[in-house]
Amino acid sequence: MINRFTFSTVRKSILFLFLTFIFSTISAQIPIEKYRDEILKLKSEADIEVYWHSLYSVDQDTLLKLPTDDITKYDSLSTTLMIKTALMFEVHGRKVYKKNNVVPVLNFTHNYLSEASLVFWSIINQCVEVGGQIDTFATGFPAYQLEAIANNFYKYSLSGQQDKHEKLVDNIEVLSIESVASRLEEAYVNQKRLRVLNIKEVVGQWFIQPFKNFKEDYCFEIVILEDNNTYIKHKEYLQKLVPLDSEKIIETFKIENEPFGWYYKLDDQNHLKMLDSNNSVLIEYTQCN
């Protein structure tokens, strides 16, 4: 069986200048320094409270009302809100966050960029240390936040699996607050760049299955893009796949930078499984016709 997830370094090198040219034409900068300056000007508790309220209003009145056919616009605004929240913590410290503040939780769960979810975990961690709304909002911490991560990365539900929560939380890296804003922008820019690449090959298509005995009425794909890397594609979202092993008829791979140690196995009949870090099968996917 030919390994579809490994390509020659030479071919990648040939494409490098071409892809660099494409990427340089994309305007995706989020003005972090401008936002940092406006947050530095917040001197009183009243100013800070007004700013938090403005972030809440944008989330509720603008972000959630954006048309669903422009996901890049949604990601841009969602990332901007996360960056502003991260800068609030970076500039003013943890004291900027009060127990009744739901903005960071909304930032987190209204974001669909898997990479950004992990970056923003540092902010969630700060909120947990303070306590308050984060412990009671929706299903509370960590169930609500882990569900969002599992959905963004794997389109999988952790509902009813509370026994796994502690281990999964321990697996998530907590970054320094100072690096969060820039890393959030990187996550957004990276996803936007991937979306301009053409699909060279569709390896296979399978139904989304958040639970073992339930499948959605739409599918995800494994694709090879023109950069000769392989990605899992959930609607408009692309995540790079990293090969772990290639046997005669089975390939093993994982999502790049995934948090839980979960991975996939694909055989030569396009039967796909997702397994956890204990090598237990979480989902055996049904192929789309």
Side-chain angles (χ1 to χ4, degrees), residues 50-62 81 101-103 106-107 137:
V50 168
Y51 198 84
W52 280 126
H53 182 72
S54 71
L55 297 185
Y56 176 83
S57 295
V58 171
D59 175 271
Q60 297 292 296
D61 300 332
T62 304
L81 291 171
N101 189 342
V102 298
V103 170
L106 297 178
N107 291 160
F137 191 89

Side-chain angles (χ1 to χ4, degrees), residues 40-283:
L40 279 166
K41 294 175 183 176
L42 305 175
K43 300 300 183 183
S44 68
E45 285 203 14
D47 291 338
I48 288 171
E49 188 66 25
V50 168
Y51 198 84
W52 280 126
H53 182 72
S54 71
L55 297 185
Y56 176 83
S57 295
V58 171
D59 175 271
Q60 297 292 296
D61 300 332
T62 304
L63 180 68
L64 297 185
K65 295 179 181 178
L66 287 175
T68 56
D69 59 351
D70 190 351
I71 198 64
T72 298
K73 186 174 182 180
Y74 182 96
D75 290 341
S76 176
L77 183 53
S78 171
T79 305
T80 295
L81 291 171
M82 295 172 83
I83 286 173
K84 288 185 174 184
T85 290
L87 290 172
M88 289 286 274
F89 280 85
E90 178 187 326
V91 171
H92 295 290
R94 197 169 65 189
K95 67 180 185 298
V96 81
Y97 176 77
K98 306 302 181 186
K99 290 185 175 184
N100 64 346
N101 189 342
V102 298
V103 170
V105 176
L106 297 178
N107 291 160
F108 189 82
T109 54
H110 292 164
N111 153 68
Y112 302 122
L113 294 169
S114 56
E115 211 176 325
S117 299
L118 297 187
V119 173
F120 200 73
W121 194 260
S122 296
I123 304 302
I124 294 299
N125 197 54
Q126 292 280 303
C127 297
V128 170
E129 291 180 13
V130 174
Q133 283 277 9
I134 194 164
D135 295 320
T136 58
F137 191 89
T139 50
F141 179 86
Y144 194 50
Q145 288 74 20
L146 287 175
E147 184 75 1
I149 289 180
N151 181 66
N152 285 355
F153 269 93
Y154 318 101
K155 291 296 179 283
Y156 179 80
S157 176
L158 286 165
S159 177
Q161 302 186 59
Q162 287 82 357
D163 58 317
K164 296 182 179 181
H165 289 177
E166 183 177 356
K167 179 180 179 181
L168 296 179
V169 169
D170 287 344
N171 286 346
I172 301 173
E173 180 184 5
V174 179
L175 304 174
S176 67
I177 292 296
E178 291 73 21
S179 69
V180 172
S182 60
R183 293 279 294 273
L184 286 169
E185 183 188 28
E186 287 173 14
Y188 165 69
V189 171
N190 181 56
Q191 188 64 209
K192 189 172 182 181
R193 286 173 172 175
L194 291 178
R195 287 178 184 150
V196 306
L197 299 180
N198 293 319
I199 294 175
K200 288 181 61 177
E201 179 185 345
V202 177
V203 175
Q205 297 178 318
W206 300 266
F207 284 102
I208 297 285
Q209 292 176 236
F211 304 97
K212 280 188 176 181
N213 300 316
F214 176 79
K215 64 183 181 183
E216 302 284 2
D217 59 359
Y218 61 98
C219 300
F220 69 96
E221 302 174 308
I222 292 177
V223 300
I224 298 172
L225 298 185
E226 62 182 304
D227 65 353
N228 280 342
N229 288 312
T230 306
Y231 298 84
I232 195 163
K233 184 174 185 288
H234 293 113
K235 292 191 174 179
E236 299 304 314
Y237 291 94
L238 291 146
Q239 297 167 290
K240 186 177 179 180
L241 294 173
V242 178
L244 299 175
D245 191 22
S246 181
E247 303 171 13
K248 188 174 182 180
I249 60 170
I250 298 177
E251 295 175 76
T252 306
F253 50 94
K254 69 172 186 174
I255 295 171
E256 186 176 54
N257 299 322
E258 62 82 32
F260 297 157
W262 296 357
Y263 63 99
Y264 299 90
K265 283 187 175 289
L266 178 67
D267 69 17
D268 59 349
Q269 301 299 311
N270 264 15
H271 297 139
L272 181 69
K273 297 188 244 188
M274 183 168 69
L275 299 88
D276 65 18
S277 60
N278 295 320
N279 304 315
S280 298
V281 175
L282 295 171
I283 296 290

Side-chain angles (χ1 to χ4, degrees), residues 26-45:
I26 300 173
S27 176
Q29 292 297 314
I30 295 175
I32 294 177
E33 292 310 311
K34 174 186 173 183
Y35 299 149
R36 182 179 278 108
D37 287 343
E38 71 183 29
I39 288 169
L40 279 166
K41 294 175 183 176
L42 305 175
K43 300 300 183 183
S44 68
E45 285 203 14

